[in-house]
Amino acid sequence: PPLPPLHTTMMHNKAALVALLALVGSCASFAPAPGVSHRSSTTSSTSSSSSSLQMGLISTTVKKLGANPTTAAAVATAAAVGTVGVKLILDRPSRTYEEGSVAREYDAWTRDGILEYYWGEHIHLGYYNKEEMEAGYKKKNFIQAKYDFIDEMMALGGIDPATTPKGAKVLDVGCGFGGTSRYLAKKLGAEAEVTGITLSPGQVTRGTELAQEQGVPNANFMVMDALKMDFPDNSFDIVWACESGEHMPDKKAYIDEMMRVLKPGGKYVMATWCQRDDRERPFDAKDERDLRFLYEEWTHPYFISIEAYKELIDDTKVMAEVTTADWNTETIASWRHSVWVGVYDPRGFIFKPTKYLKCARDAYCLERMHRAFDRGLMQYGMFAATKKMPAVEEKTSTDSSTDKE
């Protein structure tokens, strides 16, 4: 059934109001005010504007709730007091990577439905072109940005429905609950076969449900470890990997396995969060602290650089020239946009009080991610390559008839 109107429910639910303000207050010192650019000009300007950023979120929330002046004052007080104390809690990562943690966390995200409510079918960042950024990223539909990302990633990988052979076999490595798998299955036609793999049984169940609901029988999902895939060599015409490398504890095995199952002449395209290459400019203490938080809050073992990924691909010796790019500029708006969609429409979480702390943690981590990408500590790595065809061995003729008699 449809959710009740937010203002009707909230005016009679003081507990929910307090919980929402706890969430807003906890991450307000990091979240952007409506007019703030996605690029911070200096560290000092970012720091000095924290109170105005906080009030921007509070003001938006109060307007959404139709609160009176007394409530507004309580809101401001609660947010101000909550920010300091709760920030201390949020700065301690809660989801450190360990064996089984990736499947466990994605099962939980799938069950609670909050991620799907806001991000739709696609658990990856969106794409914002120059004109959209100049106009203001919040004017773009948040979900549409994710579809645009897939289209741009297809273009980078040279995946054109008009030229892709009918019956192409596609592997989506780290498929989430299958939004991209289903999209590719539709775009490439009914004869294409798209297989999505994930460590999360919950995602497989949800992905299968959505495929059935949407009438996409050529998209199938299974639980499988991307580091030890069951597929034979040379199985797929296209190998697609979008934001799954971050969770891989062995990046070399991750790359090697994808190259192994790709057919000669097949196309490979990957998107993944990367840390900058520290070989020329080593990480300082702040860099190390920030990276450790980003590793441990969203169950990442570690990140590597764009350059390091390219070296791993080159080391397989089976791929032609690798195209790389950093799509930081095109994707960075997604981090703060993710926070704002929750502020503008809190119905995705407000009726789930047991998830408030988790939502606060996720909103806080989104802003920490934004800042890491904004200052160049993190990069958005894009990769595309074609697998080489086997070398044709020259045969030496031994025909005795060529001998002169």
Side-chain angles (χ1 to χ4, degrees):
L3 293 172
L6 179 61
H7 69 277
T8 301
T9 302
M10 291 300 294
M11 294 308 292
H12 299 285
N13 192 340
K14 293 182 179 180
L17 175 60
V18 172
L20 174 60
L21 266 299
L23 170 61
V24 173
S26 66
C27 58
S29 62
F30 283 90
V36 175
S37 167
H38 79 286
R39 286 275 177 186
S40 302
S41 57
T42 64
T43 302
S44 60
S45 66
T46 299
S47 176
S48 64
S49 63
S50 63
S51 61
S52 64
L53 302 185
Q54 180 174 353
M55 292 311 297
L57 272 177
I58 294 170
S59 175
T60 300
T61 305
V62 171
K63 289 178 181 178
K64 284 287 181 183
L65 299 178
N68 59 37
T70 302
T71 302
V75 166
T77 301
V81 172
T83 297
V84 177
V86 179
K87 183 177 180 300
L88 294 175
I89 298 173
L90 299 184
D91 274 331
R92 299 189 185 114
S94 63
R95 290 168 278 192
T96 303
Y97 178 86
E98 62 185 12
E99 186 175 355
S101 62
V102 174
R104 181 176 66 244
E105 292 301 326
Y106 276 106
D107 277 346
W109 273 316
T110 303
R111 279 194 307 272
D112 65 40
I114 296 172
L115 192 62
E116 185 176 351
Y117 181 90
Y118 290 114
W119 287 49
E121 298 183 44
H122 305 280
I123 311 176
H124 58 75
L125 301 191
Y127 188 96
Y128 302 76
N129 62 34
K130 181 180 179 181
E131 291 74 21
E132 290 164 341
M133 291 300 296
E134 290 174 349
Y137 67 83
K138 291 192 292 297
K139 294 181 180 180
K140 181 165 185 173
N141 182 282
F142 183 62
I143 303 299
Q144 183 59 48
K146 298 175 182 300
Y147 285 100
D148 291 347
F149 181 93
I150 302 171
D151 289 336
E152 295 292 338
M153 187 168 168
M154 289 178 69
L156 179 72
I159 302 169
D160 183 350
T163 58
T164 299
K166 290 184 178 181
K169 293 186 177 181
V170 182
L171 176 65
D172 184 0
V173 181
C175 62
F177 39 82
T180 299
S181 299
R182 290 185 295 276
Y183 186 77
L184 292 172
K186 296 172 187 176
K187 294 279 281 189
L188 298 178
E191 295 182 17
E193 298 178 21
V194 181
T195 301
I197 64 171
T198 171
L199 291 173
S200 165
Q203 289 185 330
V204 168
T205 298
R206 184 60 180 145
T208 302
E209 290 172 351
L210 290 169
Q212 292 171 347
E213 291 173 9
Q214 297 171 14
V216 190
N218 56 329
N220 298 284
F221 307 97
M222 59 182 66
V223 174
M224 188 179 294
D225 185 350
L227 305 184
K228 297 179 290 185
M229 288 191 265
D230 298 333
F231 307 115
D233 296 354
N234 308 323
S235 294
F236 296 95
D237 300 285
I238 297 169
V239 171
W240 177 286
C242 184
E243 298 187 8
S244 56
E246 299 87 336
H247 293 295
M248 301 297 168
D250 186 336
K251 311 300 188 194
K252 182 180 185 303
Y254 173 60
I255 294 297
D256 288 348
E257 275 292 272
M258 290 189 289
M259 304 302 97
R260 179 184 69 79
V261 300
L262 182 63
K263 292 179 182 179
K267 296 177 179 180
Y268 167 73
V269 60
M270 176 175 74
T272 189
W273 310 342
C274 298
Q275 61 193 36
R276 68 169 174 80
D277 192 342
D278 67 329
R279 287 174 288 192
E280 293 187 7
R281 182 165 62 93
F283 297 132
D284 60 23
K286 175 176 170 50
D287 295 335
E288 296 283 2
R289 286 195 306 272
D290 288 349
L291 285 172
R292 189 175 304 111
F293 175 87
L294 300 181
Y295 295 163
E296 296 179 0
E297 180 56 26
W298 278 347
T299 193
H300 301 121
Y302 62 97
F303 306 132
I304 62 174
S305 67
I306 292 174
E307 293 82 357
Y309 267 119
K310 182 179 184 303
E311 290 165 8
L312 288 175
I313 297 170
D314 288 338
D315 287 348
T316 66
K317 308 297 185 183
V318 299
M319 303 300 289
E321 184 176 356
V322 181
T323 297
T324 67
D326 179 1
W327 280 10
N328 186 13
T329 300
E330 293 83 355
T331 59
I332 193 170
S334 296
W335 302 111
R336 286 181 168 175
H337 207 172
S338 299
V339 176
W340 277 109
V341 294
V343 172
Y344 290 146
D345 178 12
R347 287 177 293 180
F349 68 88
I350 203 65
F351 303 106
K352 300 176 180 179
T354 60
K355 305 300 179 184
Y356 288 163
L357 179 57
K358 184 176 181 180
C359 289
R361 286 192 177 280
D362 287 339
Y364 187 74
C365 191
L366 286 164
E367 179 60 20
R368 292 284 297 262
M369 279 287 187
H370 168 89
R371 293 193 173 201
F373 277 86
D374 194 45
R375 71 184 183 87
L377 177 61
M378 294 289 291
Q379 299 174 328
Y380 198 93
M382 299 297 301
F383 306 83
T386 300
K387 191 169 184 178
K388 297 176 184 176
M389 298 298 292
V392 178
E393 297 181 3
E394 295 184 3
K395 294 183 179 181
T396 303
S397 174
T398 58
D399 190 344
S400 60
S401 64
T402 59
D403 295 337
K404 290 184 180 180
E405 296 182 359

